[in-house]
Amino acid sequence: MGPVRLALLAVVALAAAGEAVYIPYNTSAGVVAGKLNVHVVPHTHDDVGWLKTVDQYYVGSNNSIQGACVQNVLDSLIPALLKDENRKFIYVEQAFFQRWWRNQNDMIKDTVKGLISSGRLELINGGMCMHDEATVHYIDMIDQTTLGHKFIKEEFGQIPRIGWQIDPFGHSAVQAYLLGAEVGFDAFYFFRIDYQDRDTRKETKELEVVWRGSKSFGSSADIFAGIFPKNYEPPPGDFYFEVDDDSPVVQDDPLLFDYNVEERVNDFVAAALAQANITRTNHIMFTMGTDFKYQYAESWFRNMDKLIHYVNKDGRINALYSTPSIYTDAKYAANEQWPLKTNDFFPYADNPNAYWTGYFTSRPALKRYVRMMSGYYLAARQLEFFKGKSKSGPTTDYLGDALALAQHHDAVTGTEKQHVANDYAKRLSIGYTRAQELVSTSLACLTELGSKSHCSSPTTKFSQCLLLNITYCPPSQTDFSKGKSLVVLVYNSLGWKREDVLRVPVFSDSIVVHDSEGREVESQLLPIASASLNIRDKHVKAYLGTSPGAKPKFWLAFPVSVPPLGFNTYFVSSMKKSASVSSKSTIYSSQGSENSNLQVGQGNLKLQYNAAGAFSLYSDSRTLASGAYIFRPNGTVPIKTDSQVPLTVLRGPIVDEVHQQINSWIYQITRVYKGKDYVETEFIVGPVPTDDGNGKEVAAEIVSNMATNKTFYTDSSGRDFIKRIRDYRSEWKIEVHQPIAGNYYPVNLGIYVEDGNKELSVLVDRSIGGSSIKDGQIELMLHRRLLHDDGRGVAEALNETVCLDNQCEGLIIEGKYYLKIDPQGEGSRWRRTFGQEIYSPLLLAFSEQDGGNWANSHIPKFSAMDPTYSLPDSVALLTLQELEDGSVLLRFAHLYEAGEHKDLSALASVDLKRVFPNKKIGKIIETSLSANQERAAMEKKRLKWKVQGPPADGKVVRGGPMDPSKLVIELGPMEIRTFIVNFERSISGKQLL
């Protein structure tokens, strides 16, 4: 009986000591000088699509895949914040927040506005999504950030000041300086860097640095960058407090079993001291949250209240509710000098055999679709401006929203489940359909005589051909024998005159082309390859649900000349055999040894053909599997070809082509246009065979005899070029485990090598992975088809198929890359100018002329700019967009880095009076990159950080303030300048011209 009696006495003693049930938790702590300050930052990371679609994540459906409901997060967050005025929270993804916001009543909206204005709820980062940084184009990064920042400013009067890119798989220099410093951010926080780099930085206390991402801007675009020590989750010690988490809650009621306050405080302090040992200053950040957490927010806050209360009572350290803004200000106040970081954080690996470089190419069809829609969106917004933004009719808004979602780091990356990839594509398709209607109407307004006033219902009908690349274009199936003509309107969204060659599929071999002034245009007919026609038949029916109908016989190729920011019109019609008609290509076939010294095109450009050597085929296995994220080659396998791969050569006055059927699933066409000094290569790859049970990755190889000394250059998000050295990292010593995957980098614009005498440049039509695995060689990964998952969460093999009539086969990829050789120092002109033309292709619209004369009733040629003016060769117009209030968002970009070209890296000027000769600017304000604050105010308040070491070298060249009377914009190298413009409206309300 003795032991039992003692136990009962202990319980009675506990009950007596615990009579006071209510404990008022003191969470009011701020920063305390002289102590280690632990900034407790509550957050949730909500993927805008990944395992579920964006809408499924929001409403909480399809929970058999993942139990996640963002609506619950936001619904439960507000009352939890209201319980204690010291509680704080940060929210990131505007795509979700805006879905929630529009469903709230006025009372809740007022409450939320109060929380935001007081800093208790901070909308951080501020874009529609947390965009990727490897496979995105900088224009898309700007657009999606601008959309989110615009909403936050209009609804709450707030300007986000902290970048929060915690989950993208590696980080770009463009993110640091352009989407960081240039949008006014004071700091930028993230997690994923190479595991070897992280270990090195822990030892040297260099997880927090000043990142100088731009050679051109130098220290003027420095930003404080904080890398989390382990991940973006709570610290080690089990501090997860969702209702279904396994971590021990803080149990401080002495009347209940499992009282653990001392234990929990000790765990918290231990984690804090461990992190402090690898961090400079007496401030550290605990990221309290992770993916889709706070679905019951009170569970988290209840436990954090207790931790802050008891940790501060303990006294060894100081814990406080905080945000990254408060943390950043504390770091800045410490007056520390910080280590300097340059370049970027690619590639990313999380262990020795796991380089996340496969996603640079994953889902290449989706990547191409995103890039096409991005260029189209740029052009469509221009045409929307010319016509005047509609209050009720079609607009470009839906396409803008769809593109914003597609920049998410599990969208364009290709690292989502298949049904989610389909959802992104569906949204883009809907957006394109609506924007296409707007574009057609705008072009009709611009072409019709007498429609210069605000145009609502033009009679001319234009159609467009999104599937032109696979020879499907119903307007060009016109029966020209009945006196009808195909009207081809060609719109140029660039600010300079453009010369190009169009290709339109036709049926007849008796065709003539005329320009807008009635002059005959030299043209050429090229027989369409059977490989292209096979894609056409299958994919048109698979995607459109209808049979594509009769097959066209020829590509009609003809040169066009289009004025800047304007259009020209061409007419395709039938001619009798005896008359002057389009030239047929001469066809020449070769076999075997004849292939090696075949010359095509004019000039000194010689191409050596080696069919099997033109591609590399990487294989994986179940034990060493590549996946959507990871590229983990298990060696190369030979590409099976016939013993001799025949070449078919087409020659003509416009273009020479070489066709190669490498094997049953690889077809290649190489083109040289007359008067052009670059080579265009079209590839058709797929279905990639997997009958041996292994997944495969297909890479194109360009081989030269250049001595490149392990060095090559790849672009950063389509902007700066960064020097890469094989098996080398400039800031830490790399231990090489994956000599192929570990040397792959993202390529959005291009890749090049040089040897001191010449440069070999390759430009791409979408985001892909690329490298130079051997000296003198460039390789581009074109396609991936895999059979296993790589264990990084998507839980699905990257095995894309196309299904037709209940039969599915692997996806076929059609695309292009472009190659040019230049003298040393001259390649940048082509990379920048032609690279911009690849991004902004000519927009084609088709109509039909049945007799009569188009010029009698239409304007055949148009430019919005002064006819004697064009933008400098070094400047691109990025944005011309009418906003809802009638003001106009205007952006210009300098395309060259400092020192990149001897002439074109100079200061450039844009004369707005000549860009808009028929409009008068009433007011113009320069803003930050995301257009949510005046530029001067942003520069004045942005934090300037101290850097270890000598001061930055060289003078930064930036454009000076704009004189509102002269209206001339100056741009220094790599500079992007953003303006909000108000045009004076005429009495008649004209918007067009």
Side-chain angles (χ1 to χ4, degrees):
M1 291 295 293
V4 175
R5 185 170 177 272
L6 286 173
L8 289 172
L9 285 173
V11 171
V12 171
L14 280 172
E19 289 178 1
V21 176
Y22 173 72
I23 302 173
Y25 300 114
N26 182 4
T27 59
S28 63
V31 169
V32 175
K35 276 195 174 183
L36 174 61
N37 290 279
V38 181
H39 293 252
V40 176
V41 177
H43 79 105
T44 180
H45 173 58
D46 298 338
D47 289 301
V48 183
W50 178 38
L51 308 182
K52 305 198 296 188
T53 70
V54 57
D55 287 348
Q56 289 170 351
Y57 271 133
Y58 176 67
V59 301
S61 62
N62 213 355
N63 280 341
S64 61
I65 293 178
Q66 185 180 10
C69 175
V70 177
Q71 198 170 8
N72 284 349
V73 173
L74 292 166
D75 279 345
S76 71
L77 174 65
I78 306 309
L81 287 174
L82 293 174
K83 280 192 174 183
D84 184 335
E85 64 180 6
N86 299 309
R87 291 177 175 180
K88 293 178 175 62
F89 196 82
I90 59 171
Y91 197 78
V92 179
E93 295 85 4
Q94 284 302 300
F96 286 130
F97 190 84
Q98 291 177 26
R99 279 166 166 74
W100 179 80
W101 182 254
R102 63 179 177 244
N103 289 325
Q104 304 310 306
N105 62 39
D106 289 342
M107 184 178 71
I108 292 178
K109 284 186 175 182
D110 288 341
T111 300
V112 172
K113 286 178 179 179
L115 290 170
I116 290 174
S117 66
S118 66
R120 293 159 64 190
L121 173 59
E122 184 173 350
L123 300 179
I124 200 169
N125 215 35
M128 298 299 287
C129 66
M130 188 182 293
H131 59 229
D132 179 50
E133 298 179 36
T135 66
V136 288
H137 194 277
Y138 74 96
I139 294 178
D140 292 324
M141 298 164 85
I142 294 169
D143 282 343
Q144 84 88 16
T145 303
T146 300
L147 267 180
H149 283 194
K150 180 174 178 288
F151 170 83
I152 293 171
K153 181 66 179 295
E154 290 176 351
E155 287 290 331
F156 308 109
Q158 297 291 311
I159 298 170
R161 54 178 293 236
I162 304 294
W164 190 258
Q165 290 283 111
I166 59 174
D167 198 23
F169 325 128
H171 300 279
S172 75
V174 160
Q175 175 67 33
Y177 83 85
L178 197 62
L179 277 301
E182 293 293 293
V183 297
F185 288 167
D186 286 318
F188 169 41
Y189 296 97
F190 52 99
F191 147 55
R192 296 188 189 273
I193 68 170
D194 185 283
Y195 70 99
Q196 294 181 51
D197 190 7
R198 188 189 309 277
D199 290 345
T200 301
R201 291 180 181 278
K202 284 181 178 180
E203 293 174 5
T204 58
K205 291 191 175 183
E206 293 188 14
L207 284 170
E208 293 178 322
V209 298
V210 169
W211 191 351
R212 186 168 297 160
S214 168
K215 298 187 292 289
S216 300
F217 290 164
S219 61
S220 71
D222 285 356
I223 190 168
F224 182 77
I227 305 159
F228 300 146
K230 185 180 180 183
N231 51 38
Y232 55 81
E233 304 189 11
D238 277 343
F239 294 100
Y240 296 80
F241 300 122
E242 201 73 23
V243 289
D244 56 353
D245 279 330
D246 295 331
S247 299
V249 299
V250 182
Q251 209 296 81
D252 63 341
D253 185 344
L255 295 177
L256 306 179
F257 287 175
D258 303 324
Y259 182 88
N260 64 358
V261 169
E262 184 178 356
E263 178 186 336
R264 294 274 65 197
V265 167
N266 287 338
D267 290 341
F268 190 94
V269 172
L273 294 176
Q275 189 165 324
N277 285 334
I278 55 173
T279 308
R280 302 183 188 207
T281 79
N282 63 329
H283 297 275
I284 63 171
M285 184 194 300
F286 277 1
T287 50
M288 297 300 292
T290 183
D291 295 11
F292 300 101
K293 296 301 185 180
Y294 291 78
Q295 294 190 63
Y296 179 51
E298 183 59 27
S299 177
W300 282 87
F301 281 111
R302 180 193 304 124
N303 284 279
M304 289 185 293
D305 287 351
K306 294 177 182 180
L307 283 170
I308 291 171
H309 175 79
Y310 290 114
V311 164
N312 291 343
K313 279 186 70 175
D314 174 83
R316 284 175 286 175
I317 63 175
N318 178 61
L320 66 149
Y321 274 124
S322 188
T323 69
S325 295
I326 297 170
Y327 178 77
T328 299
D329 289 338
K331 286 286 185 178
Y332 186 75
N335 205 26
E336 179 88 3
Q337 287 189 328
W338 299 96
L340 182 66
K341 161 69 184 173
T342 58
N343 293 334
D344 62 4
F345 287 98
F346 287 117
Y348 164 60
D350 59 3
N351 69 54
N353 289 302
Y355 276 91
W356 295 42
T357 55
Y359 82 94
F360 299 162
T361 299
S362 294
R363 302 195 188 278
L366 179 64
K367 283 178 165 64
R368 175 63 181 150
Y369 196 22
V370 170
R371 181 63 53 84
M372 286 174 65
M373 291 298 98
S374 179
Y376 189 84
Y377 180 52
L378 184 150
R381 282 179 291 172
Q382 294 176 1
L383 292 166
E384 187 173 36
F385 164 72
F386 296 147
K387 176 182 175 293
K389 193 173 180 74
S390 172
K391 302 293 185 184
S392 57
T395 70
T396 58
D397 293 348
Y398 195 101
L399 180 56
D401 287 340
L403 272 167
L405 296 182
Q407 309 314 313
H408 169 58
H409 61 266
D410 280 306
V412 67
T413 54
T415 54
E416 67 273 45
K417 283 186 178 291
Q418 185 63 54
H419 79 105
V420 181
N422 296 344
D423 186 70
Y424 291 126
K426 179 180 180 179
R427 293 173 186 275
L428 289 171
S429 178
I430 294 169
Y432 170 75
T433 300
R434 296 183 184 181
Q436 181 186 41
E437 186 179 348
L438 175 278
V439 165
S440 297
T441 304
S442 298
L443 290 174
C445 286
L446 286 169
T447 59
E448 289 185 3
L449 286 170
S451 66
K452 288 189 177 181
S453 60
H454 199 79
C455 175
S456 57
S457 55
T459 58
T460 305
K461 302 300 181 187
F462 282 106
S463 56
Q464 295 156 63
C465 296
L466 185 63
L467 298 179
L468 191 61
N469 65 321
I470 58 171
T471 79
Y472 182 68
C473 184
S476 71
Q477 297 177 12
T478 301
D479 183 357
F480 299 129
S481 64
K482 296 180 179 178
K484 294 181 179 179
S485 295
L486 177 67
V487 180
V488 185
L489 186 145
V490 188
Y491 179 74
N492 173 22
S493 60
L494 297 177
W496 59 73
K497 182 181 177 182
R498 185 159 175 189
E499 314 278 346
D500 210 336
V501 175
L502 294 192
R503 297 163 60 85
V504 179
V506 295
F507 290 79
S508 172
D509 62 355
S510 300
I511 279 180
V512 66
V513 180
H514 291 90
D515 66 14
S516 57
E517 297 179 11
R519 295 173 300 208
E520 186 177 322
V521 177
E522 186 174 39
S523 57
Q524 178 182 344
L525 291 168
L526 301 98
I528 297 176
S530 58
S532 295
L533 292 175
N534 290 340
I535 297 179
R536 178 184 193 268
D537 290 349
K538 190 174 301 176
H539 288 72
V540 170
K541 189 171 182 182
Y543 293 130
L544 300 185
T546 59
S547 174
K551 297 178 181 179
K553 296 178 181 178
F554 304 100
W555 282 112
L556 171 67
F558 59 95
V560 297
S561 177
V562 195
L565 214 61
F567 63 76
N568 206 345
T569 312
Y570 292 83
F571 305 90
V572 180
S573 55
S574 177
M575 286 292 256
K576 295 180 180 178
K577 296 279 187 179
S578 58
S580 174
V581 295
S582 191
S583 300
K584 280 191 176 181
S585 306
T586 57
I587 302 175
Y588 165 80
S589 295
S590 70
Q591 295 281 341
S593 61
E594 297 178 61
N595 295 358
S596 59
N597 291 307
L598 184 69
Q599 182 177 344
V600 297
Q602 298 174 339
N604 298 318
L605 188 60
K606 292 182 176 64
L607 303 175
Q608 181 172 321
Y609 287 89
N610 180 338
F615 293 88
S616 291
L617 189 63
Y618 296 107
S619 177
D620 74 346
S621 65
R622 183 180 296 275
T623 55
L624 200 66
S626 291
Y629 302 89
I630 294 172
F631 175 34
R632 200 153 32 193
N634 189 24
T636 59
V637 296
I639 293 179
K640 295 179 181 178
T641 63
D642 298 331
S643 57
Q644 292 183 333
V645 177
L647 301 181
T648 301
V649 183
L650 309 177
R651 299 184 189 275
I654 309 297
V655 60
D656 289 355
E657 289 189 348
V658 180
H659 291 237
Q660 293 175 282
Q661 181 76 58
I662 307 298
N663 58 23
S664 62
W665 54 276
I666 300 178
Y667 193 88
Q668 178 173 283
I669 305 171
T670 307
R671 296 188 186 96
V672 178
Y673 294 98
K674 298 302 165 62
K676 304 289 186 182
D677 53 0
Y678 64 86
V679 177
E680 174 184 296
T681 299
E682 179 180 355
F683 58 88
I684 300 173
V685 177
V688 177
T690 56
D691 47 3
D692 61 356
N694 294 323
K696 296 176 184 64
E697 286 127 326
V698 185
E701 274 197 274
I702 297 103
V703 180
S704 75
N705 59 4
M706 295 169 66
T708 54
N709 193 29
K710 295 187 175 182
T711 302
F712 57 105
Y713 300 81
T714 64
D715 69 272
S716 177
S717 303
R719 201 86 179 118
D720 306 66
F721 275 91
I722 296 180
K723 182 179 182 178
R724 313 295 190 184
I725 301 175
R726 200 159 58 246
D727 295 335
Y728 174 78
R729 304 292 188 266
S730 61
E731 294 167 332
W732 47 281
K733 183 174 175 59
I734 183 174
E735 184 177 340
V736 178
H737 298 283
Q738 287 282 339
I740 297 174
N743 286 298
Y744 255 71
Y745 291 87
V747 178
N748 282 277
L749 169 61
I751 178 173
Y752 72 93
V753 293
E754 57 186 23
D755 65 0
N757 295 312
K758 56 186 177 295
E759 301 176 24
L760 170 61
S761 306
V762 182
L763 302 181
V764 296
D765 69 347
R766 74 198 75 193
S767 299
I768 57 176
S771 187
S772 177
I773 299 299
K774 297 171 282 192
D775 276 6
Q777 174 249 31
I778 289 175
E779 72 177 58
L780 306 170
M781 187 181 291
L782 306 180
H783 199 1
R784 313 182 75 217
R785 188 182 183 193
L786 306 169
L787 302 182
H788 310 297
D789 177 56
D790 54 16
R792 293 307 182 273
V794 76
E796 190 174 278
L798 184 69
N799 183 11
E800 294 183 279
T801 59
V802 174
C803 300
L804 184 62
D805 299 330
N806 297 321
Q807 288 194 327
C808 300
E809 61 179 23
L811 183 67
I812 298 173
I813 294 299
E814 185 273 343
K816 295 175 183 174
Y817 60 87
Y818 309 84
L819 179 150
K820 192 172 186 291
I821 299 172
D822 288 286
Q824 182 77 38
E826 290 298 319
S828 61
R829 178 188 284 270
W830 180 71
R831 290 192 294 269
R832 295 301 185 181
T833 303
F834 190 66
Q836 203 66 25
E837 293 181 356
I838 294 171
Y839 172 80
S840 287
L842 292 169
L843 190 157
L844 305 185
F846 301 90
S847 192
E848 187 179 281
Q849 180 180 228
D850 190 0
N853 189 329
W854 183 270
N856 288 342
S857 56
H858 293 81
I859 300 167
K861 193 172 183 178
F862 159 81
S863 175
M865 291 166 57
D866 182 323
T868 63
Y869 184 72
S870 67
L871 294 185
D873 291 345
S874 56
V875 174
L877 172 62
L878 297 192
T879 311
L880 177 58
Q881 177 183 11
E882 184 180 350
L883 304 175
E884 286 77 7
D885 63 0
S887 62
V888 173
L889 180 60
L890 182 66
R891 277 195 195 91
F892 292 99
H894 197 300
L895 297 175
Y896 289 78
E897 298 176 61
E900 186 177 6
H901 190 274
K902 63 182 187 298
D903 301 319
L904 294 168
S905 289
L907 195 71
S909 298
V910 175
D911 187 343
L912 291 185
K913 291 180 180 178
R914 301 179 73 187
V915 174
F916 303 106
N918 300 301
K919 289 178 172 294
K920 185 176 181 181
I921 293 175
K923 185 180 179 182
I924 181 167
I925 299 172
E926 183 168 8
T927 69
S928 64
L929 185 69
S930 60
N932 66 344
Q933 56 188 312
E934 290 196 28
R935 174 89 196 188
M938 179 197 84
E939 292 286 3
K940 188 175 181 180
K941 69 182 181 181
R942 216 170 68 77
L943 302 181
K944 306 296 188 292
W945 297 84
K946 294 181 179 179
V947 181
Q948 289 179 345
D953 295 330
K955 181 183 176 184
V956 174
V957 178
R958 285 187 186 257
M962 188 186 62
D963 185 334
S965 62
K966 294 181 179 178
L967 293 174
V968 173
I969 298 171
E970 294 179 333
L971 295 112
M974 279 287 107
E975 192 169 19
I976 299 176
R977 298 185 71 175
T978 305
F979 300 86
I980 298 293
V981 182
N982 288 95
F983 290 101
E984 292 184 0
R985 294 184 179 272
S986 63
I987 296 173
S988 63
K990 288 183 182 178
Q991 172 68 13
L992 189 63
L993 299 180

